[in-house]
Amino acid sequence: MKVAGAYWRGNEKGPMLQCDFGVSTFLKPMAVTAFLEAEVNRSNRTRGRPLHDPSLAASIEKAIKGRKVVSSHLRGTPREGQEYRIKSLAEPPGEAKFTDDHGREWTVLEFFAAMEPPVRLSRPELPTLAMNGGKVKIPMELCSFVPAQPKRDVTPDERVKIVGATSDKPHVRLGRIQEFCEASRRVADPTLDAFAIDIGPLESVQARVLPT
């Protein structure tokens, strides 16, 4: 969140203007499947449908197209952390095919199973993600979002939560800030790292708390 808030003008005897302003949210560095399942279950119309349901393909592709991801199959290799940009959804791993540099044709499922160590897919029914212009196809279940990417289509409920978080009493907000600072010093936060933010001790300044 870059900045968020709300303000009110008026009183019980005159007109009142309520404004929300400046809301910017960012994707968590979470698994693509977890993000999409939350998106699907947010709507009564699609709640409970599996991600490989053909009727969801268009909305799923819209939600993730252009996003940058990393794949867990590169963890522990010299290419760990390599980023890919999603172009579109593609066939499931057992159907998506490509030809390697030696002219051998593989399915994505076969290729990952032949890796050392083998990558066994637990959800082979899910589509693959076509990356980097469509030349690379990676199973969806292996992909996670790169931190610090702006989230599109912030819902009204999300906006209400953001504004509500800025409307707490000063002592409540202070407590939350202190908890966050303490937690960030104990455990690395990938979102803070993505923005190159280093949180030090809180500073004491002279201030006046306005009445609410």
Side-chain angles (χ1 to χ4, degrees):
M1 178 172 62
K2 184 166 59 179
V3 63
Y7 63 87
W8 293 264
R9 296 284 177 85
N11 54 41
E12 69 278 3
K13 296 181 180 179
M16 182 175 74
L17 173 67
Q18 177 178 338
C19 300
D20 296 343
F21 61 92
V23 176
S24 293
T25 59
F26 297 88
L27 287 174
K28 290 182 179 179
M30 64 192 303
V32 172
T33 51
F35 169 79
L36 290 176
E37 285 166 347
E39 291 290 297
V40 167
N41 288 324
R42 193 170 62 182
S43 168
N44 290 331
R45 183 175 56 84
T46 58
R47 183 174 292 119
R49 295 187 193 177
L51 295 183
H52 58 278
D53 187 329
S55 67
L56 297 177
S59 59
I60 284 177
E61 185 170 294
K62 179 181 178 182
I64 61 177
K65 185 175 182 179
R67 297 298 189 187
K68 292 186 288 185
V69 297
V70 294
S71 177
S72 62
H73 81 279
L74 297 178
R75 195 172 296 146
T77 74
R79 295 168 59 199
E80 181 175 356
Q82 178 175 335
E83 296 180 3
Y84 300 92
R85 188 177 293 277
I86 300 172
K87 178 180 184 293
S88 63
L89 296 182
E91 308 92 332
E95 301 174 19
K97 297 181 179 180
F98 70 97
T99 302
D100 66 17
D101 294 337
H102 304 289
R104 177 177 174 180
E105 186 176 75
W106 300 78
T107 67
V108 172
L109 186 66
E110 292 169 340
F111 178 78
F112 278 87
M115 293 183 68
E116 189 58 47
V119 178
R120 307 294 185 188
L121 302 180
S122 60
R123 304 179 69 177
E125 74 282 359
L126 296 181
T128 55
L129 301 180
M131 316 284 196
N132 300 359
K135 297 179 180 179
V136 177
K137 295 179 180 178
I138 299 178
M140 181 189 290
E141 67 180 86
L142 302 181
C143 297
S144 299
F145 290 117
V146 172
Q149 298 183 81
K151 184 181 185 299
R152 299 187 291 258
D153 302 326
V154 179
T155 67
D157 286 343
E158 289 171 333
R159 291 179 183 273
V160 168
K161 289 180 181 179
I162 292 171
V163 172
T166 67
S167 303
D168 286 327
K169 297 292 184 181
H171 70 280
V172 176
R173 295 194 68 187
L174 175 62
R176 288 183 176 176
I177 292 171
Q178 290 173 326
E179 290 175 3
F180 178 79
C181 291
E182 288 297 324
S184 68
R185 286 194 283 270
R186 293 194 304 269
V187 182
D189 187 313
T191 301
L192 294 179
D193 293 342
F195 285 98
I197 296 175
D198 183 26
I199 297 180
L202 295 177
E203 296 286 341
S204 295
V205 297
Q206 294 294 322
R208 180 167 64 92
V209 179
L210 298 176
T212 57

